[in-house]
Amino acid sequence: WMFLSSYEKLRVKLDAQASLLAMSHMANMVMGIAFGTSATVWKKERHSKGRGAFCYVEYNDIGNDGVPVEFPPHNERNKKAKDRGWFHRASADDFKKIPGSPIAYWVSKAMIATFEKDSLETLGLVRQGASTSDNNRFLRIWSEVSNFKIGFNLNSISDSVQSKKKWFPYNKGGEYRKWYGNHEFVINYEQDGYELKEFQSKLSQGWTVRLKSRDYYFKKSVSWPKISSANFSARIYPNGFIFDVAGCCYFPYDLSEQDVVKLLNSKVSHELLKVLSPTLNFEIEQIKKLPGNIAVSSNEKDSSIFFETSRADWDAFETSWDFATLPLLSEDHRTDTLAGTYGNLRTHWQGMTDEMLRLEEENNRIFIDAYGLGAELSPDVPLSEITLTCNPAYRYKGQNTPTELEKKLRKDTVQEFLHYAVGCMFGRYSLDAPGLILANAAETLQDYLARVPESCFMPDDDNIIPVLDSNWFEDDIVDRFTAFLRLTFGDQHYSDNLAFIKDSLGGKSVRDWFLKDFYTYHWKRYKKRPIYWMLSSPKGSFNVLFYMHRYRPELFSQVLEDYLRPFQEKLTGRLSDLARIVGDDASSAAQIKSADKESDKVRAMLIELEDWERDVLYPLAGQRQALDLDDGVKANYPLFAPALKKIPGL
């Protein structure tokens, strides 16, 4: 009731009828429950000049037994409370100067005065976007669908219709990230949303209510996530996006989007939003009430660095549709060794982070001075709020030491290298050309060669890569990665590079990582919408990967004939070899014991694989199941569920 716009009438009514004398405003858990509470003393008489007493109480201010800690005598207590920011005196007349009249008792006179300036509402339009009513049906993560069906960089609904594309970039808000990024989703808006409108017309409200602000679809905007678990963050979205109800947008009249987003990402706006929306729910009502004094001097070159740096950081990872190549393979950082290259890249990332920190603090200084808040706000920015993925303090939230952060960043960078190698094995990427190569339904090796006629690292021809405990097949994933490593960093330092990888993975070998960690890493990276799928027997004795964009109905038959049955034959042969060791008089006791142990393991594997072939793989091979990428991973993955490695929640 103290802050939400839905309670504004109550606040106005209470103020008209009574005077707020005192309040104890309690944080989460103070009353033993996980949300804040307040205890208020009112007097049924209006005192226009009265000032109430407000005390904020945190959980740490009470003892372990639930009893408040012992306070000093009254006079000392008031001084201590003021020093700690506990205690405030405020007038209801001041609350009325703030849009929505929130009970913002801690706000200074200087900050209240900022609301006398023109609001953002007078300088542009704030709009909510679409609500599909069924995101599972109409939204996809962009990597799930055929890339040629996505319409990028369009300027209007008319352009989208003429493009004859089905999917279009969709701004859904996303995580805490400033300046640029969170480009993850696409929406089915084929033929001006024909299917979406037809679906919503059957609902009680109809599509005109749900598809808001259509005149602003595909327009450049400033946007922010409606709901945040961290601080407020704003980004520029270029032309080409439809926006969601949770990805609200601002369209300035005469100002540049850069100036607006610099204001919104400043400490001034963050502090004002704590007044207007302390619940971390950033509706358009709060944003448009922000004072918009942005006629302040700034360096245009510095302004562009915000967005260029953030965009370069976003596009450096495979999850961006503008990803070109792995930073670790960029000529700007390359040396003869992985360790040396990583060292250069890490220095480059630190430089990006330091420069962004400098610019954000300078941006804060500009707006703090412009709003006259220098006496109460500091321009300093915590390193964890420099929202670059290459900044480990932001990337790995939580309590980590600098050493732990560096260890995590190095491990992830090496995992990205291993993961990118798999992308090259499937032809999604190529060492000879930037960006996506094979990213459409049912594409083949011939499609790859049409785009990359001379390839130094050829993709797997049958779209099936074994992931086993040893190199049982020529196209074994570890053998293929070994070739990739030698090709990218040469033979001279191969052993050193392999040792660097092992050390970065915490002592785990490349084979162990591919066998035990790769698939979990992959589906987490792609938010439980993997593009490489793992066929796996119940106990993991047999695993092969395939790329869903290259899937064809005969794939399961080929796995059965060219991989599973030959593997069973190899295991049977191995069992015979072990029997000879056991029966050989020349074998030592240790050799016999080891052979017996391995024989038990191989026999168990053969039983497992025989059952799996009969009950799962053979029936699937006979079904020749089709796969439509437009249906998305969530619908397609369960079609093959008995044969695929389980993903929790999918």
Side-chain angles (χ1 to χ4, degrees), residues 159-176:
D159 287 351
S160 75
V161 173
Q162 292 177 21
S163 75
K164 301 189 183 303
K165 303 291 186 180
K166 179 170 184 173
W167 303 97
F168 301 91
Y170 192 63
N171 167 12
K172 204 173 181 301
E175 66 178 9
Y176 172 62

Side-chain angles (χ1 to χ4, degrees), residues 473-505:
F473 294 92
E474 289 183 359
D475 54 352
D476 170 70
I477 195 166
V478 176
D479 286 352
R480 298 250 34 211
F481 174 74
T482 297
F484 181 86
L485 179 60
R486 290 183 183 278
L487 185 62
T488 51
F489 282 92
D491 289 324
Q492 185 179 359
H493 301 285
Y494 171 74
S495 297
D496 292 336
N497 291 333
L498 207 56
F500 177 78
I501 291 172
K502 184 174 182 178
D503 184 61
S504 301
L505 297 175

Side-chain angles (χ1 to χ4, degrees), residues 3-4 28 174 176 224-233 246 270 273-283 286-287:
F3 306 104
L4 296 181
N28 290 2
Y176 172 62
W224 63 93
K226 177 181 173 182
I227 300 172
S228 174
S229 59
N231 291 330
F232 178 82
S233 60
H270 293 179
L273 281 170
K274 289 178 184 177
V275 178
L276 297 172
S277 184
T279 61
L280 296 179
N281 220 11
F282 304 112
E283 306 277 0
Q286 285 94 34
I287 303 303

Side-chain angles (χ1 to χ4, degrees), residues 182-222:
N182 290 359
H183 302 175
E184 299 172 321
F185 291 92
V186 290
I187 184 172
N188 175 1
Y189 204 75
E190 189 174 19
Q191 290 298 306
D192 193 13
Y194 173 80
E195 186 180 341
L196 187 55
K197 291 176 182 176
E198 186 178 60
F199 170 76
Q200 293 194 336
S201 293
K202 298 173 183 177
L203 304 178
S204 58
Q205 290 180 309
W207 69 266
T208 54
V209 174
R210 310 294 289 177
L211 299 181
K212 298 178 182 177
S213 310
R214 291 177 64 254
D215 290 346
Y216 294 90
Y217 290 1
F218 300 101
K219 305 298 183 187
K220 188 177 183 180
S221 68
V222 174

